[in-house]
Amino acid sequence: MVFPEYRPRRMRQNEAFRSLVRETRLASSQLIYPLFVQPGKGKRDQISSMPGVFRLTVDQLAQEAGECRELGVGGVILFGLPEKKDPMGSGAHNRDGIIQRAIKELKNKSPELLVSTDVCLCEYTDHGHCGVILEGEVDNDTTIEILARTALSHAQAGADMVAPSDMMDGRVAEIRQALDENNFSNIPIMSYAVKYASAFYGPFRDAADCAPQHGDRRGYQMDPANCREALREATLDVDEGADILMVKPALAYLDIISRLRDEFDLPIAAYQVSGEYAMIKAAAEKGWLDEEKVMQESLLSIRRAGADIILTYFAKDMARLLKG
Ligand code: PBG
């Protein structure tokens, strides 16, 4: 059946046909919106490299949560800016820390909203690395104990799901054990299983004030050149008890999302990171790209590659568009 018998354009002739044969769709319930929480009261500071994204004080969260629920956004993920940083990142597991307070406020005001937390030390260490430094190196096994305490403190504050983003070895198992031993066996782990050492995190590091003071993250985050290693990382996290596997960043790693989709049966998440958002925003501001269309196309591509869940700063905008 070749031309002129078969004409692919038949199925593209109008929106009714296009919609009938469309293979991939976006749903608001599959989008997770990142929130940055800062100390203080009554503040809502726009992040300069991420137009439309704000650092919020705890009292500003209820309104944000209400908006997300109204739009049908799948949930939020929290990032904290602590009052004080120290070498051990101890602010991360403080019972009364910024994230722990934010969780309580959100679950209090919007109990049905799914609240996930980013579990990492980089926002809490004064040196900006994702773990504790011993003898000049980020020490894996000391760090995962602190990460487990951090995840537990989030669960105790009422978080629905924890998402470790540090890329230490063995942290999923350590967190799973800490949660299970403390009666939180029902709390899922969304693992940043495949996280690359990417330059696309630039704007986030401004937002969360967590750029490493010396060196970089290539000693623990993955080399952008590697794909087979991504499968090994994901296999380890599955074996350690991960419930959702995440790939990060998204757009430059669609092949990795697709490979994971083929090889694993767990839900796959992808993080459209700060730099991906900033690129689209900046080009749109200049009038070089149509923001709405590029937002839609980029998110759709991430879904088509195989992601079930997308973490994105566009979550509210996209949900608004879907609502019509
Ligand atoms: C680490 C973390 C980072 C991001 C999410 N969690 C930054 C990093 O690894 O440097 C990046 C998110 C983004 O760029 O949007 N806690």
Side-chain angles (χ1 to χ4, degrees), residues 79 118 120 122-123 165 192 195 200-201 204-205 217 221 248 271 273-274 313:
F79 295 93
D118 185 82
C120 192
C122 68
E123 295 121 81
S165 69
Y192 288 68
K195 178 174 177 181
F200 284 104
Y201 307 147
F204 174 94
R205 292 181 187 171
R217 303 210 203 290
Q221 297 180 349
K248 177 186 175 186
Y271 200 139
V273 300
S274 56
Y313 303 97

Side-chain angles (χ1 to χ4, degrees), residues 36-49:
F36 296 97
V37 196
Q38 65 173 349
K41 251 199 155 144
K43 282 197 292 184
R44 202 182 151 77
D45 302 327
Q46 182 152 223
I47 298 155
S48 58
S49 51

Side-chain angles (χ1 to χ4, degrees), residues 205-220:
R205 292 181 187 171
D206 292 339
D209 184 23
C210 69
Q213 299 301 302
H214 55 86
D216 54 44
R217 303 210 203 290
R218 286 180 298 175
Y220 38 102

Side-chain angles (χ1 to χ4, degrees), residues 14 18 21 82 122 173 185 244 246 290 309:
N14 58 39
R18 289 193 292 271
V21 300
C122 68
S185 54
I244 298 174
M246 195 198 301
D290 180 325
I309 303 159

